């Protein structure tokens, strides 16, 4: 479904003459093609939207890191270019859970698996990623899980 949205966005950008958006969408589609080639030899292939979301999240993370580095290096024009790409990538990602919703999900999983100490953090994180991996920022979730288990 997301892949079809990307393809239609590519056509719209071509017709509308939006070169920056077109370049960003083409970049996303190229990364997806690379990922599809990697998955040809995999025995356990996840569904298409899961693959697309993983690729988009990885690309978004790379853009955020680049923006920070460019801003620290006083390269605002390059940071602006990366920000424009990040905006296009974010437009295709599913809406993220808020911090309160993330904490509620963590508490539900914590109660379900019977987690009581930091030793159970791995089980909680695995269940959290399995159920909500596409809508939770897992880098921030680690700190929230740890805080919930202390």
């Amino acid at each position: 479904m997301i892949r079809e949205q990307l393809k239609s966005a590519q056509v719209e950008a071509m017709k509308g003459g939006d070169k920056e958006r077109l370049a960003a969408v083409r970049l996303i589609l190229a990364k997806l093609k690379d990922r599809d080639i990697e998955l040809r030899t995999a025995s356990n292939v996840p569904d298409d939207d899961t693959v697309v979301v993983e690729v988009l999240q990885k690309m978004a993370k790379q853009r955020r890191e680049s923006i920070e580095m460019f801003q620290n290096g006083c390269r605002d024009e390059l940071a602006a270019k990366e920000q424009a790409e990040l905006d296009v990538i974010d437009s295709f990602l599913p809406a993220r859970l808020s911090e309160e919703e993330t904490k509620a999900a963590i508490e539900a999983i914590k109660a379900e698996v019977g987690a009581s100490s930091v030793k159970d953090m791995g089980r909680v994180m695995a269940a959290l990623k399995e159920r909500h991996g596409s809508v939770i920022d897992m880098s921030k979730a680690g700190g929230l899980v740890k805080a919930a288990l202390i």
Side-chain angles (χ1 to χ4, degrees), residues 126-138:
L128 188 66
K129 184 172 183 174
E130 179 183 324
R131 295 182 194 154
H132 305 287
S134 64
V135 293
I136 289 180
D137 185 357
M138 293 305 290

Side-chain angles (χ1 to χ4, degrees), residues 102-118 120-128 131-132 144-150:
T102 302
K103 287 179 181 178
I106 290 169
E107 288 300 322
I109 291 171
K110 181 178 143 184
E112 184 181 314
V113 299
S116 59
S117 69
V118 179
D120 300 319
M121 186 171 171
R123 292 188 316 165
V124 174
M125 287 295 289
L128 188 66
R131 295 182 194 154
H132 305 287
L144 295 174
V145 170
K146 190 172 185 178
L149 292 174
I150 290 179

Side-chain angles (χ1 to χ4, degrees), residues 1-135:
M1 181 167 153
I2 299 173
R3 197 178 294 257
E4 287 83 26
Q5 291 174 350
L6 284 163
K7 289 178 182 177
S8 65
Q10 180 182 20
V11 172
E12 288 173 19
M14 279 192 261
K15 287 181 179 178
D18 189 351
K19 292 182 181 181
E20 289 82 21
R21 184 169 175 83
L22 178 61
V25 171
R26 282 182 173 162
L27 186 65
I28 294 168
L29 290 171
K31 290 288 185 185
L32 285 173
K33 185 97 169 154
D34 290 345
R35 184 73 172 133
D36 290 342
I37 291 168
E38 289 175 19
L39 291 175
R40 283 183 190 166
T41 59
S43 60
N44 186 12
V45 179
D47 67 348
D48 191 51
D49 274 355
T50 304
V51 172
V52 173
V53 168
E54 286 174 3
V55 169
L56 290 173
Q57 286 176 336
K58 185 175 180 181
M59 291 178 72
K61 181 180 178 191
Q62 290 171 339
R63 297 306 174 284
R64 286 186 191 96
E65 292 170 354
S66 295
I67 289 168
E68 185 179 329
M69 288 187 332
F70 287 141
Q71 287 174 341
N72 290 341
C74 297
R75 299 295 308 264
D76 294 332
E77 70 283 353
L78 294 175
K81 181 179 180 284
E82 292 289 319
Q83 183 62 49
E85 286 181 7
L86 178 61
D87 293 341
V88 172
I89 292 167
D90 281 342
S91 70
F92 294 104
L93 279 169
R96 296 257 184 214
L97 294 181
S98 68
E99 189 170 334
E100 293 78 28
E101 293 170 324
T102 302
K103 287 179 181 178
I106 290 169
E107 288 300 322
I109 291 171
K110 181 178 143 184
E112 184 181 314
V113 299
S116 59
S117 69
V118 179
K119 291 180 182 179
D120 300 319
M121 186 171 171
R123 292 188 316 165
V124 174
M125 287 295 289
L128 188 66
K129 184 172 183 174
E130 179 183 324
R131 295 182 194 154
H132 305 287
S134 64
V135 293

